[in-house]
Amino acid sequence: MRLSDEFGVVVEATIPAPPQRVWDLVADISTSPRFSPELQRTEWLDGAEGPAVGAHFAGHNARPDGTKWQTVNRIIEFTPLERFAWEVLPDTATAEGDAFARWHYEVTADGEGTRVRHSMRMGNLRTPLHRFVEQNPEQEEALVDARLAILREGMEAVLKGIAADAAAVDSDPAAVDSDAADAADAARA
């Protein structure tokens, strides 16, 4: 994979819980940081109190090597019980259509459970990955593949955490929260 390719990551899972329960977790921006090895916390910006098209939220990220950064995210689609999408931006004034990346959750009923598709696609704005590739052009494919692997691992951890939380409603929430936190800590290590 090369930077000039339109690349991204897609992970899917069927969660044995009703769509509303899964949707409530997917649409809550505080869910992913509990399970992601990279996204540490989120907060609403500009007075937003919940998800709506045009609302902004900050994402505070960190990697095991100590690198930390913050993103600004704008919700570009919010259809309850179906789709939640946002774009990652340098600031809240960035023009619509320009983004570092676009992230999506799609939720569909699947028998007695819920199918969740979590995806991201790189956008048109330059990221630190571009700088690393420019400094090491002979390693472009390896650098891009490594970043995609890290993203995939994080997205899979988030879906596992959502599944655990969705199951917790019918069991002991403290036990599931502990298991999910242990899984997130292991993924961050």
Side-chain angles (χ1 to χ4, degrees):
M1 190 71 53
R2 303 183 69 79
L3 283 176
S4 59
D5 297 333
E6 289 188 20
F7 64 89
V9 177
V10 177
V11 296
E12 297 185 58
T14 299
I15 297 174
Q20 184 66 58
R21 188 178 312 158
V22 173
W23 176 258
D24 290 345
L25 292 164
V26 164
D28 180 350
I29 64 166
S30 70
T31 299
S32 291
R34 295 199 333 264
F35 310 111
S36 172
E38 194 167 275
L39 180 61
Q40 305 297 296
R41 70 182 173 89
T42 54
E43 63 186 305
W44 290 108
L45 299 174
D46 303 329
E49 296 180 4
V53 172
H56 291 95
F57 63 95
H60 300 269
N61 302 277
R63 284 199 289 254
D65 68 4
T67 303
K68 294 181 180 184
W69 71 99
Q70 180 178 324
T71 62
V72 173
N73 305 273
R74 177 174 44 225
I75 297 176
I76 56 174
E77 189 173 348
F78 190 79
T79 306
L81 291 170
E82 291 180 19
R83 190 168 165 88
F84 178 30
W86 65 97
E87 51 192 9
V88 182
L89 313 167
D91 55 49
T92 59
T94 301
E96 287 194 34
D98 288 338
F100 293 128
R102 290 177 182 80
W103 291 78
H104 305 88
Y105 280 109
E106 294 176 29
V107 175
T108 55
D110 186 12
E112 293 185 25
T114 304
R115 187 79 181 157
V116 179
R117 184 175 200 256
H118 187 21
S119 61
M120 70 77 56
R121 180 153 298 292
M122 292 300 293
N124 63 318
L125 298 179
R126 291 175 52 81
T127 68
L129 182 58
H130 290 86
R131 187 179 69 244
F132 296 138
V133 167
E134 287 168 358
Q135 293 169 350
N136 304 284
E138 71 286 351
Q139 296 178 26
E140 179 177 10
E141 288 187 39
L143 290 167
V144 171
D145 290 346
R147 183 64 182 138
L148 289 174
I150 289 167
L151 291 167
R152 178 178 303 285
E153 178 182 302
M155 293 162 70
E156 288 171 347
V158 168
L159 286 186
K160 286 178 186 173
I162 289 171
D165 268 14
V169 173
D170 296 327
S171 64
D172 177 9
V176 174
D177 286 346
S178 173
D179 291 346
D182 290 346
D185 288 344
R188 288 186 179 112

